[in-house]
Amino acid sequence: MAAVHLLCSGCFGYAAVELDTVPPGEKVRVHLNQEGLGDLAEFAPDLRMDGTLLRADAGQLVLRVPTGDQTVGIMTRTLGQDVSIPFTRIAQLEQRELDRRRTWLTAGAGAAAVAAILTSFGEGVPNPELPPVEEDPAGFTGARALISLFSISVR
């Protein structure tokens, strides 16, 4: 299962972009300036907020930031809050994007790990204290195993 996770994972990073180039619905990271932190401190303790861009209009950016998860049965959904950020408070805007180089490195490392695990299962070194396994020339080994599988002991 870990190998499947490694082979299917993608590595994402953030790259600086202009606000005009980001369509609504994209994942973004907003870096705030020190003066503009104010009432946004609860969402950005380290002067940055990650979220989904909802819209940009009239001098402000509306961002949906995750606030927690709600679990009902086997279903989990992320709860979010819409936050309006004036453009004057934004120091830098970054868009989340797939880093192909890191993704290929992760996939290569996962494939190497799977190959190492699969090749580690081998014949091994025979134990000299055990008697050698004799081949069954008539091919009764399978029949003997089948019979012993369905045998019922009677007392």
Side-chain angles (χ1 to χ4, degrees), residues 78-147:
T78 302
L79 302 175
Q81 181 173 350
D82 296 350
V83 177
S84 296
I85 308 167
F87 291 151
T88 57
R89 293 184 179 189
I90 298 174
Q92 184 179 10
L93 181 68
E94 298 176 331
Q95 183 177 4
R96 186 175 185 233
E97 61 184 25
L98 179 67
D99 185 343
R100 295 191 188 284
R101 185 176 57 86
R102 283 195 299 173
T103 301
W104 281 108
L105 286 173
T106 302
V114 168
I117 289 170
L118 293 177
T119 58
S120 67
F121 296 108
E123 292 289 326
V125 178
N127 188 346
E129 296 176 8
L130 294 176
V133 177
E134 295 180 17
E135 295 294 324
D136 187 10
F140 290 116
T141 305
R144 193 176 321 137
L146 185 63
I147 291 170

Side-chain angles (χ1 to χ4, degrees), residues 19-65:
L19 180 60
D20 303 342
T21 62
V22 182
E26 290 292 319
K27 302 276 188 197
V28 294
R29 176 175 287 163
V30 177
H31 294 272
L32 302 172
N33 53 28
Q34 191 66 19
E35 310 83 46
L37 188 58
D39 58 338
L40 298 174
E42 69 177 283
F43 300 108
D46 58 348
L47 292 176
R48 74 170 192 210
M49 279 193 282
D50 293 342
T52 304
L53 177 66
L54 296 180
R55 67 183 177 279
D57 56 352
Q60 69 180 1
L61 179 83
V62 180
L63 192 69
R64 175 160 294 153
V65 294

